[in-house]
Amino acid sequence: KNEVEQSPQNLTAQEGEFITINCSYSVGISALHWLQQHPGGGIVSLFMLSSGKKKHGRLIATINIQEKHSSLHITASHPRDSAVYICAVSGGGYGGSQGNLIFGKGTKLSVKP
Amino acid sequence: NAGVTQTPKFQVLKTGQSMTLQCAQDMNHEYMSWYRQDPGMGLRLIHYSVGAGITDQGEVPNGYNVSRSTTEDFPLRLLSAAPSQTSVYFCASSYQGGNYGYTFGSGTRLTVV
């Protein structure tokens, strides 16, 4: 079983729709990260959460530590939001390092005009 | 601009050749790491470093070597390239990893023929 599971794997939406991407994890964590990767592009950090909720523009990230679950919401989606969204957790680590990230496989979002 | 600089962006190698992927950051981050990204696999940790002179293995270290002689630089060496090392490689840095945000390089697309 993967330590970080994302759903859905693929998501197609119409412009303007409200979008939710889910992330569940099975390890103890110190923080959860949401990342964005545009096609052929680099990786950008969107949020880092250890509790509660964060908002940046049309993006909202929430985390429930007790349920080991996080969601990334996009309000009023736009074609430029089309990208792969990756959930990653830190605190489990390899070699005892708390700094290492464990990644989900990503959710590919396509927003149609 | 402050950030993580990765070079080269693209590289084709023949089986058995060696090469070094360069990674440099100018944010005085202690934590640096290398990942490979393969279709359907997500990002996987190759090697990481928590400071100059300190390196450790990640999930998939075989066939790769690293060193950290300065805070700024963290090169990844492929000792004898194999087709299985065809992948996209990302370098990332963080103030101290884990509970701090990550900055990723733009990636290196490596093909081994």
Side-chain angles (χ1 to χ4, degrees), chain A residues 30-31 33 35 37 40-45 48 50 84 86 90-91 94-106, chain B residues 31 33 35 37 40-45 48 50 56-59 90 96-107 109:
Chain A
S30 56
H33 304 251
L35 310 169
Q37 185 177 25
I43 298 170
V44 174
S45 178
M48 185 184 67
S50 54
V84 175
I86 302 168
S90 56
Y94 294 99
S97 170
Q98 296 295 300
N100 297 333
L101 294 177
I102 304 171
F103 296 87
K105 294 184 178 180
Chain B
Y31 181 90
S33 49
Y35 305 90
Q37 186 179 41
M41 299 289 292
L43 286 144
R44 291 181 292 169
L45 179 66
Y48 67 97
V50 297
D56 206 346
Q57 297 180 350
E59 181 185 1
F90 287 96
Q96 287 186 346
N99 294 341
Y100 296 86
Y102 277 70
T103 302
F104 287 81
S106 57
R109 186 172 294 273

Side-chain angles (χ1 to χ4, degrees), chain A residues 5-82:
Chain A
E5 297 272 6
Q6 285 185 240
S7 63
Q9 289 186 336
N10 294 282
L11 181 58
T12 300
Q14 288 298 126
E15 183 173 356
E17 285 184 357
F18 181 85
I19 289 163
T20 296
I21 298 170
N22 296 299
C23 176
S24 297
Y25 53 92
S26 58
V27 295
I29 70 168
S30 56
L32 184 141
H33 304 251
W34 281 104
L35 310 169
Q36 180 191 57
Q37 185 177 25
H38 280 104
I43 298 170
V44 174
S45 178
L46 296 175
F47 294 104
M48 185 184 67
L49 296 163
S50 54
S51 65
K53 175 180 172 179
K54 287 191 176 180
K55 183 174 188 290
H56 181 68
R58 295 179 295 105
L59 273 59
I60 302 166
T62 64
I63 188 169
N64 184 318
I65 296 293
Q66 286 73 28
E67 294 186 4
K68 295 187 175 178
H69 182 268
S70 175
S71 293
L72 176 68
H73 305 287
I74 304 175
T75 63
S77 60
H78 189 276
R80 65 175 174 265
D81 297 325
S82 297

